[in-house]
Amino acid sequence: MIQWTYDTGDYLAYLSTEDNRINQAATKAQLAYLVKFINDMDGSVQYAYADQADTSWIQDRYTKMQFNHHAAVGRDMYAGDVHFTPQGHWKYEVYEVAWAGELALIDEGTAPATELDVLSPKSNDNGVVQGLVTKGILNVTEKAGSEEVQYVQNAKSVQTLTISYGGAGYTSAPTILITGDNITQATATCTVSGGVVNTVTITNAGSGYTTNPTVKVTGGGATQEASLLANINETNYIYTG
């Protein structure tokens, strides 16, 4: 497991790569390592090539890899730039990339951007992903003095239904229809009192939402229709050092 502290400049790791070397014919100068980082919280993915100073960083059993903290905007994956937000646990996968030319050319257009990227036309200048050589867990902690942080995350399901206007003239509970981009549609019921909608209950939060869905209130004999707002965001992952 790798342990790093967020926004501390350079991140160093010593990862086992040579035990699982795939291209035994390639020299150290012809090799590079593409690392895929997957965040456990929101499932976000980012790639970066390990910034290796020279071939001495590839030892008999492991490879010394450096990554550089960078803002999200302008991040250069080919220079080893990473931006670990939100902090917490990330999975990592290390892919061996080899070049047929004398040197590894780690740049856009000559180095695969993902483990599935196949560059064409085929040439000695273009790297080829050989395969997965190691994987593990990375924990990115907060800097000292900023350990308590709240993250607002898309929960992909309806977290709250808010009555923005209760309507008027209801003689019975109306029907609530929740529509939007989803895998499973959310459902809800409500009650009325004094002719207005006074409570709303989520009976199924749904799944797969990427944006707040639209809520339509119909029926119930209203003279003025109620208005409800749905929210899929949740505030969680509070870390206290």
Side-chain angles (χ1 to χ4, degrees), residues 9-11 51 66-70 75-76 79-83:
D10 297 337
Y11 304 115
D51 186 6
Q66 177 175 300
F67 300 90
N68 318 302
H69 174 77
H70 196 283
R75 187 178 67 84
D76 184 357
D81 293 345
V82 290
H83 184 72

Side-chain angles (χ1 to χ4, degrees), residues 123-198:
S123 74
N124 289 350
D125 290 341
N126 290 344
V128 177
V129 176
Q130 307 298 295
L132 179 70
V133 291
T134 192
K135 60 183 179 179
I137 296 293
L138 163 66
N139 185 43
V140 182
T141 59
E142 301 287 346
K143 292 190 297 182
S146 61
E147 293 86 351
E148 188 170 309
V149 179
Q150 292 183 340
Y151 301 102
V152 177
Q153 182 186 15
N154 177 346
K156 299 182 175 63
S157 59
V158 175
Q159 299 299 295
T160 60
L161 281 175
T162 304
I163 302 171
S164 59
Y165 175 58
Y170 283 101
T171 57
S172 63
T175 299
I176 298 174
L177 179 63
I178 304 172
T179 58
D181 60 329
N182 62 79
I183 298 173
T184 303
Q185 187 172 357
T187 59
T189 60
C190 66
T191 62
V192 297
S193 177
V196 301
V197 174
N198 64 332

Side-chain angles (χ1 to χ4, degrees), residues 83-95:
H83 184 72
F84 293 119
T85 299
Q87 289 82 49
H89 281 86
W90 295 67
K91 297 182 182 73
Y92 67 84
E93 299 172 354
V94 181
Y95 293 88

Side-chain angles (χ1 to χ4, degrees), residues 24-66:
Q24 297 292 336
T27 66
K28 292 180 181 180
Q30 294 173 301
L31 290 176
Y33 295 97
L34 173 65
V35 184
K36 179 180 182 179
F37 298 99
I38 309 105
N39 186 265
D40 274 356
M41 296 181 191
D42 60 9
S44 60
V45 175
Q46 63 177 283
Y47 291 86
Y49 276 88
D51 186 6
Q52 297 163 211
D54 53 55
T55 57
S56 69
W57 285 34
I58 303 177
Q59 297 292 316
D60 292 338
R61 298 291 300 276
Y62 66 86
T63 298
K64 180 181 177 182
M65 300 186 185
Q66 177 175 300

